[in-house]
C-alpha cells in the first residue's frame, strides 16, 4: 500500500484536505481522533494522564478536560513531553493496527499534526504539508474554535514553524484561498501522483526519467535529503547514502532525476532482503544486468545493482555499489572534482548538452562512454593526489 503522511499547523486546513482525500477513496488514519480514543473514560491512557497531572484535568463527567490539560502542558516543555510519553506510544500502536487492516491496494493517509516534531517523515512514501499564512490560521482559530487570540498564538508557537515543515514536504499545498481551490489542488494530487504512485509501488514499477536537461534546480539537494532519509529508514540500519551525478553538483543543468549511491558491502547484500525493503519503500529494482562503463585503462565492467523510483513526481535512480569498488569511488570522485573546479563544470555541462542533443538516451543513463570522461577521470585522479582527497 501507499503510505502518505499529512501534516500542517493548527488552523491550516489539514482536516479539510483529509476529508477531501477520503471522498476520493483514501483510507484516513486520523491521529487526533486516535489521540482522543486512547484517553477516553475507562482507558489506561486516561488513568495515566490523571496520575501525571492530577484530577484537575478531568471534567465533571469523568472525561478528559482537554482545555484544562492544554493550559497545563502548552508552554511547559517538560509537561508536554511527559504527556507525549503517555499518549504517543498508544497512538502509534493504534495507528499501526488501522494501517494493517487497510486493503493491500489502499492509499493510506496518516493525518498527523506533529509529524515533523516527532520525526516521522522518513516512514512514509510521501509527505504532504498544508501551509497557511499565520494571520489566516489565527482568524480561523478565534472564529471557528472560539480560542482567545493569546491562546491561538501559544498553540501555533508550540508547533514546528513553516520552514521546518517545508523541509520535509514532498508536496506543499497552500491553503490561503477558497475551499474550492483547495479541493482542486487535492484532486490533482490524487489523480496525477497518489493513484499512479500506489500502483507503481504495488506492481514494483519504476518511473522512467525524462532525459531532457532541466534546471539547475536549487531544491535538488533538499529533495535528495528527503529521499536519503527514506532509504536509510528502509534499510533498517546504518548505511552510507550519497548524492551523486549531475544534480549533486551546484549550477549544473541536468535531467531532473536524483542519482543516489547506496553503499553495500557486496552485491550479495544488494541482492538480499535490502532489495525487498527498498522496493516496499518505493524504490523497486530495475530488471536486467547493470554496470558502469569503466574508465581507461580498465577493461572489465563495474557491476552494480540499479533501482528506480515509483513516485511519478520525483524520478530517482539508486546505484547500489560495493564499498571501495572502482565504480563507487569514481562516482564520489567525479562529484567532488566538479564541485571543486568551475572550469571542469563548464566543460562537463557542454559535453552533456552535446550528448543529449545527439542521443538523449545515451546521456541519461550512468557514466557516458565518451573520451572526455576518460580525460576527466585522469584530471580528477591528479586532483585527488594533490589535495589528499579520500572517498
Amino acid at each position: 500500500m501507499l503510505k502518505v503522511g499529512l501534516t500542517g499547523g493548527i488552523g491550516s486546513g489539514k482536516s479539510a484536505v483529509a476529508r477531501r482525500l477520503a471522498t476520493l477513496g483514501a483510507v484516513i488514519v486520523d491521529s487526533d481522533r486516535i489521540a482522543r480514543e486512547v484517553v477516553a473514560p475507562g482507558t489506561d491512557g486516561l488513568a495515566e494522564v490523571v496520575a501525571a497531572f492530577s484530577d484537575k484535568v478531568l471534567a465533571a463527567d469523568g472525561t478528559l478536560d482537554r482545555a484544562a490539560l492544554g493550559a497545563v502542558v502548552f508552554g511547559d516543555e517538560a509537561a508536554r513531553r511527559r504527556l507525549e510519553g503517555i499518549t504517543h506510544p498508544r497512538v502509534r500502536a493504534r495507528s499501526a493496527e488501522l494501517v494493517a487492516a487497510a486493503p493491500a491496494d489502499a492509499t493510506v493517509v496518516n493525518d498527523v499534526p506533529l509529524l515533523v516534531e516527532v520525526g516521522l517523515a522518513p516512514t512514509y512514501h510521501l509527505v504532504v504539508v498544508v501551509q497557511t499564512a499565520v494571520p489566516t490560521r489565527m482568524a480561523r482559530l478565534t472564529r471557528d474554535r472560539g480560542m482567545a487570540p493569546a491562546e491561538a498564538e501559544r498553540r501555533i508557537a508550540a508547533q514546528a514553524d513553516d520552514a521546518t515543515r517545508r523541509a520535509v514536504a514532498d508536496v506543499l499545498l497552500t491553503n490561503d484561498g477558497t475551499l474550492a481551490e483547495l479541493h482542486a489542488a487535492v484532486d490533482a494530487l490524487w489523480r496525477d501522483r497518489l493513484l499512479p504512485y500506489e500502483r507503481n509501488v504495488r506492481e514494483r514499477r519504476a518511473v522512467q526519467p525524462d532525459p531532457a536537461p532541466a534546471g539547475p534546480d536549487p531544491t535538488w539537494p533538499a529533495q535528495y535529503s528527503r529521499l536519503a532519509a527514506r532509504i536509510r529508514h528502509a534499510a533498517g540500519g546504518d548505511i552510507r547514502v550519497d548524492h551523486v551525478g549531475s544534480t549533486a553538483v551546484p549550477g549544473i543543468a541536468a535531467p531532473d532525476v536524483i542519482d543516489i549511491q547506496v553503499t553495500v558491502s557486496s552485491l550479495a547484500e544488494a541482492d538480499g532482503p535490502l532489495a525487498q525493503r527498498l522496493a516496499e519503500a518505493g524504490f523497486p529494482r530495475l530488471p536486467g544486468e547493470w554496470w558502469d562503463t569503466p574508465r581507461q585503462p580498465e577493461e572489465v565492467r563495474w557491476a552494480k545493482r540499479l533501482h528506480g523510483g515509483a513516485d511519478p513526481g520525483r524520478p530517482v535512480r539508486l546505484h547500489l555499489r560495493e564499498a571501495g569498488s572502482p565504480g563507487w569511488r569514481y562516482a564520489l570522485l567525479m562529484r567532488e572534482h566538479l564541485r571543486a573546479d568551475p572550469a571542469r563544470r563548464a566543460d562537463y555541462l557542454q559535453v552533456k548538452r552535446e550528448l543529449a542533443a545527439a542521443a538523449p538516451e545515451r546521456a541519461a543513463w550512468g557514466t557516458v562512454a565518451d573520451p572526455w570522461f576518460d580525460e576527466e577521470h585522469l584530471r580528477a585522479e591528479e586532483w585527488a593526489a594533490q589535495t589528499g582527497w579520500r572517498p
Side-chain angles (χ1 to χ4, degrees), residues 223-241:
Q223 294 184 57
Y224 155 75
S225 295
R226 291 193 291 272
L227 293 164
R230 283 195 185 98
I231 292 165
R232 294 188 184 99
H233 177 77
D238 185 15
I239 190 168
R240 178 169 177 173
V241 180

Side-chain angles (χ1 to χ4, degrees), residues 36-37 39-43 46 61-64:
R36 290 189 290 272
E37 289 179 0
V39 290
T43 62
L46 180 60
D61 61 359
T63 60
L64 182 65

Side-chain angles (χ1 to χ4, degrees), residues 23-390:
T23 65
L24 294 170
V27 174
I28 306 298
V29 177
D30 186 339
S31 293
D32 264 348
R33 181 180 58 79
I34 296 171
R36 290 189 290 272
E37 289 179 0
V38 300
V39 290
T43 62
D44 292 340
L46 180 60
E48 194 169 342
V49 169
V50 172
F53 299 104
S54 84
D55 58 8
K56 293 180 181 179
V57 299
L58 286 177
D61 61 359
T63 60
L64 182 65
D65 186 334
R66 300 181 72 83
L69 179 61
V72 172
V73 301
F74 282 104
D76 185 333
E77 181 72 11
R80 183 174 63 83
R81 291 194 178 278
R82 190 174 184 185
L83 176 62
E84 290 172 352
I86 297 170
T87 59
H88 285 185
R90 290 174 167 85
V91 172
R92 284 195 294 268
R94 179 57 180 154
S95 297
E97 290 177 358
L98 294 173
V99 171
D105 62 349
T107 295
V108 178
V109 177
N110 196 353
D111 181 348
V112 190
L114 300 180
L115 181 150
V116 175
E117 290 84 345
V118 297
L120 290 177
T123 67
Y124 300 102
H125 292 100
L126 199 76
V127 172
V128 178
V129 171
V130 185
Q131 180 174 288
T132 305
V134 170
T136 303
R137 295 165 60 191
M138 286 284 297
R140 289 173 181 168
L141 293 174
T142 54
R143 180 188 67 235
D144 301 336
R145 303 195 194 183
M147 287 187 188
E151 177 66 11
E153 287 181 355
R154 188 167 61 158
R155 294 292 184 97
I156 290 172
Q159 296 181 334
D161 60 23
D162 287 343
T164 304
R165 289 195 193 90
R166 283 196 299 271
V168 305
D170 301 291
V171 177
L172 190 65
L173 292 176
T174 301
N175 185 27
D176 292 314
T178 66
L179 184 61
E181 290 170 335
L182 180 65
H183 284 176
V186 174
D187 292 354
L189 171 64
W190 177 260
R191 178 188 65 247
D192 299 335
R193 194 163 185 178
L194 299 186
L195 282 181
Y197 195 176
E198 184 282 320
R199 184 170 58 250
N200 289 345
V201 169
R202 176 164 36 90
E203 296 178 357
R204 301 295 192 258
R205 182 169 54 198
V207 174
Q208 178 68 38
D210 183 349
D217 185 341
T219 71
W220 278 335
Q223 294 184 57
Y224 155 75
S225 295
R226 291 193 291 272
L227 293 164
R230 283 195 185 98
I231 292 165
R232 294 188 184 99
H233 177 77
D238 185 15
I239 190 168
R240 178 169 177 173
V241 180
D242 290 280
H243 189 186
V244 296
S246 302
T247 61
V249 182
I252 293 286
D256 187 19
V257 53
I258 304 296
D259 283 286
I260 298 175
Q261 178 166 275
V262 179
T263 301
V264 292
S265 60
S266 67
L267 292 183
E269 179 188 357
D271 293 336
L274 177 60
Q276 178 68 15
R277 291 198 293 267
L278 290 174
E280 291 173 353
F283 307 102
R285 181 169 169 174
L286 299 184
E289 297 296 322
W290 297 93
W291 55 84
D292 297 309
T293 303
R295 305 269 59 86
Q296 298 297 326
E298 296 272 1
E299 295 182 356
V300 295
R301 290 172 169 175
W302 297 342
K304 65 179 178 181
R305 301 295 182 260
L306 191 65
H307 290 237
D311 179 4
R314 178 60 274 160
V316 61
R317 288 189 296 251
L318 269 57
H319 307 261
L320 279 66
R321 298 183 175 111
E322 291 186 7
S325 65
W328 174 87
R329 185 180 189 279
Y330 177 79
L332 299 171
L333 173 61
M334 182 78 163
R335 179 194 68 187
E336 292 306 308
H337 187 226
L338 291 176
R339 284 177 174 177
D341 191 329
R344 297 284 74 77
R345 288 202 298 273
D347 288 349
Y348 174 78
L349 180 58
Q350 182 61 32
V351 169
K352 293 287 277 187
R353 283 173 174 165
E354 292 172 356
L355 289 169
E361 72 285 351
R362 191 164 166 255
W365 287 93
T367 302
V368 182
D370 183 275
W372 183 89
F373 288 88
D374 290 323
E375 296 169 4
E376 165 59 16
H377 187 208
L378 294 176
R379 286 190 293 263
E381 289 291 1
E382 292 173 359
W383 170 82
Q386 293 168 357
T387 61
W389 175 84
R390 295 289 184 274

